[in-house]
Amino acid sequence: MDFEKLYIGGRWVSGSSGQFIDVEDPVSMKPFARVPRGAPEDVDRAAEAARAAFPAWAKTSLAERIAVMERFLAVFRSQEEEIIELEIRELGAPWSFAKSSHCEYQYTRVRSYIDLAPSVPLVEKMPLSTVYREPVGVVGCITPWNYPLGQVVQKVIPALLMGNTVVLKPSQHTPLSCYLMAEAFEEAGLPAGVFNMVTGRGGEVGNAMASHPDIDMISFTGSTKGGIEVARNALGTVKRISLELGGKSPDIFLPMDDYDTAVRCCFNSIFLNSGQTCTALSRLIIPKAEEKKIEEALCRIAPEYTVGDPRDHTVKVGPLASLAQYKKVRAYIESGIAAGARVLVGGVPADPTRGYYVAPTIFTDVTPDMAIAREEIFGPVLCVFTYDTTDEAVALANDTAYGLNAAVYGPKAEAIAVARRIQAGNVYINDSPRDTAAPFGGYRQSGIGREGGVYGMLEFTQQKALFDTCKD
């Protein structure tokens, strides 16, 4: 595939700048592909194409849009091996995780949107009126590098199903798998201009999208700092804004006889994808009376999370995505040690020579004022806190500027009661699986709006009330 093109108006075209951005393999630490460094002129072209395509696409029936998405999903599924290979090379995701989470789970998400679309309440009768939900218009989607396809699916699929047209800016670090998605849309017969893709830097392409007068909505996933900047730019033209931002998510263990399953659930969240997950359970809150028992389980189970070449099917933890990410995580580990936290597992990584690897690291004796306790590290680093009472555990869980995700492990009734007191948009009870039909999003600095299921599709609609009860 030719990665040196943009996808605008149903055609693969050259970027205006004539410049490119390298895409690095985090194992070899060398570039292996490049994409156009998009410019504001490219955003102009993409927005114009999306604006021109909007009236016809908005008028299509939901059944027609679903039919296009069914064809898209069939093509998308046929690309599985290519997707896995690209996620290994551009992100460093281990083969098993690339297959299950970066690939197969995205098929599940698309399927969920298709199946739920007919149940979206697009027409609602009121006592003296009828409320219609209509497409917002042209939606600008700005997505991060840590889940190159996952965050795109969460935005683009529901936006299109609801009758909007889209301009996508994937991350400059991991844009390649999105080319396969564009190819699948093209093969599925999506009309020209309905989906457009402009690669480039956030400060150039992203800012141009956020401030563009022909883009009606911005849906952004990334850091809280980045989201604030995007929102400020978007408000200049009074756009609708949806933000899915950072997290510092708590995991409360209630007193139990056996903690092994709970530990593995926590580790899966914080260590898989090398901790580069906004919902990662990065703060483990355990009963003080059980501290030694739980620490023994943490030390015993941690070696199961093998670090190594992501192409090895037995490896669970690959490298971090970039040198910048490696330096950031290493600095946090060093700061935790300097602040007095105790390293239970892992520690400061060696200088990278063949990949940006950071082994799973667990800190104990962490206090709430430490940087590792308060700031989103975005690496395989777990902080452990202890509590004496349930009230103290809940207070520790809520002692954060974020509120994206949480978990409680213990007897079900008690766990649900504790979960209801946690200030977060999503809370897992024991080893319950994620529900693609449920709304996903956070409290406070974790964002604005929701993704997933019917709620995620409603984000891409606007309400119109018709007062239609008068007599002729």
Side-chain angles (χ1 to χ4, degrees):
M1 168 164 272
D2 184 1
F3 295 118
E4 297 187 3
K5 301 287 186 181
L6 306 174
Y7 189 70
I8 297 175
R11 296 187 301 119
W12 293 99
V13 299
S14 298
S16 300
S17 72
Q19 300 178 40
F20 297 89
I21 298 172
D22 287 334
V23 180
E24 183 185 25
D25 181 333
V27 174
S28 70
M29 303 187 297
K30 296 178 180 179
F32 71 98
R34 64 180 193 169
V35 297
R37 180 176 175 176
E41 293 81 5
D42 300 312
V43 175
D44 289 341
R45 289 192 290 164
E48 182 181 0
R51 176 64 63 198
F54 173 68
W57 182 246
K59 287 180 181 178
T60 60
S61 67
L62 180 59
E64 290 175 281
R65 293 179 218 142
I66 287 174
V68 172
M69 285 301 158
E70 291 280 12
R71 296 195 297 271
F72 160 78
L73 181 56
V75 179
F76 199 28
R77 285 185 181 278
S78 73
Q79 298 170 321
E80 180 170 341
E81 290 187 9
E82 295 171 272
I83 293 171
I84 292 170
E85 177 61 24
L86 284 178
E87 301 299 31
I88 291 171
R89 294 204 70 187
E90 66 178 349
L91 180 63
W95 180 89
S96 59
F97 196 73
K99 178 178 174 62
S100 63
S101 294
H102 291 291
C103 188
E104 293 174 348
Y105 187 61
Q106 306 318 318
Y107 302 152
T108 299
R109 276 176 161 165
V110 175
R111 179 81 265 159
S112 174
Y113 282 123
I114 292 172
D115 291 345
L116 288 170
S119 64
V120 177
L122 296 177
V123 181
E124 186 177 2
K125 292 296 294 183
M126 298 292 181
L128 298 174
S129 63
T130 304
V131 176
Y132 295 88
R133 287 189 175 269
E134 299 180 343
V136 175
V138 178
V139 178
C141 300
I142 303 174
T143 58
W145 51 264
N146 59 322
Y147 283 85
L149 276 179
Q151 298 300 331
V152 174
V153 165
Q154 286 283 73
K155 302 179 187 304
V156 171
I157 303 304
L160 295 179
L161 279 169
M162 292 297 99
N164 302 279
T165 55
V166 166
V167 178
L168 167 68
K169 191 207 87 67
S171 168
Q172 69 191 62
H173 302 292
T174 56
L176 303 184
S177 54
C178 292
Y179 279 74
L180 296 177
M181 174 177 276
E183 187 178 63
F185 280 133
E186 189 174 43
E187 191 171 334
L190 189 70
V194 173
F195 171 81
N196 307 272
M197 183 177 72
V198 180
T199 56
R201 303 186 188 281
E204 297 170 351
V205 173
N207 286 350
M209 287 171 59
S211 59
H212 203 285
D214 280 336
I215 294 178
D216 303 294
M217 174 179 176
I218 288 291
S219 180
F220 172 90
T221 296
S223 69
T224 298
K225 179 181 178 182
I228 291 170
E229 181 180 1
V230 165
R232 284 174 175 159
N233 289 330
L235 284 174
T237 48
V238 198
K239 295 186 191 333
R240 176 175 295 215
I241 302 167
S242 177
L243 305 175
E244 197 269 282
L245 307 176
K248 191 69 177 176
S249 302
D251 187 0
I252 297 177
F253 286 4
L254 300 176
M256 297 178 287
D257 293 330
D258 183 4
Y259 293 96
D260 283 16
T261 301
V263 167
R264 288 190 176 91
C265 286
C266 180
F267 283 1
N268 286 346
S269 172
I270 186 62
F271 294 154
L272 300 184
N273 213 46
S274 297
Q276 300 166 139
T277 301
C278 59
T279 57
L281 299 171
S282 55
R283 294 185 296 135
L284 179 58
I285 301 169
I286 64 174
K288 178 69 174 177
E290 301 279 88
E291 183 176 14
K292 289 185 178 180
K293 181 178 180 179
I294 295 172
E295 284 188 1
E296 184 277 327
L298 297 173
C299 293
R300 174 168 42 80
I301 295 171
E304 296 177 9
Y305 292 77
T306 50
V307 179
D309 189 332
R311 293 164 182 81
D312 184 337
H313 291 199
T314 66
V315 163
K316 288 189 175 182
V317 181
L320 295 177
S322 66
L323 177 60
Q325 192 62 17
Y326 167 87
K327 289 180 176 179
K328 175 186 173 184
V329 173
R330 176 173 173 157
Y332 271 113
I333 294 173
E334 291 172 338
S335 78
I337 294 170
R342 177 168 62 96
V343 176
L344 185 68
V345 171
V348 178
D351 290 338
T353 56
R354 179 66 179 172
Y356 303 120
Y357 293 101
V358 174
T361 297
I362 302 173
F363 281 109
T364 60
D365 299 336
V366 179
T367 58
D369 60 310
M370 294 179 182
I372 59 170
R374 306 205 69 79
E375 299 173 16
E376 187 177 37
I377 298 173
F378 229 58
V381 181
L382 177 66
C383 296
V384 182
F385 304 79
T386 61
Y387 69 89
D388 290 312
T389 67
T390 301
D391 286 346
E392 186 182 352
V394 171
L396 282 168
N398 290 333
D399 184 20
T400 176
Y402 300 104
L404 184 58
N405 192 39
V408 184
Y409 219 100
K412 186 174 181 180
E414 185 180 354
I416 291 174
V418 171
R420 292 293 303 274
R421 298 172 62 190
I422 296 176
Q423 297 164 5
N426 298 261
V427 186
Y428 289 83
I429 306 299
N430 296 331
D431 54 354
S432 298
R434 185 166 178 176
D435 182 359
T436 55
F440 173 76
Y443 289 16
R444 298 190 294 265
Q445 292 188 26
S446 285
I448 300 170
R450 292 295 183 265
E451 295 181 338
V454 170
Y455 293 95
M457 286 184 273
L458 288 173
E459 288 286 335
F460 297 101
T461 66
Q462 53 191 348
Q463 296 168 319
K464 176 187 286 181
L466 266 62
F467 305 98
D468 54 5
T469 57
C470 62
K471 294 181 180 180
D472 294 333

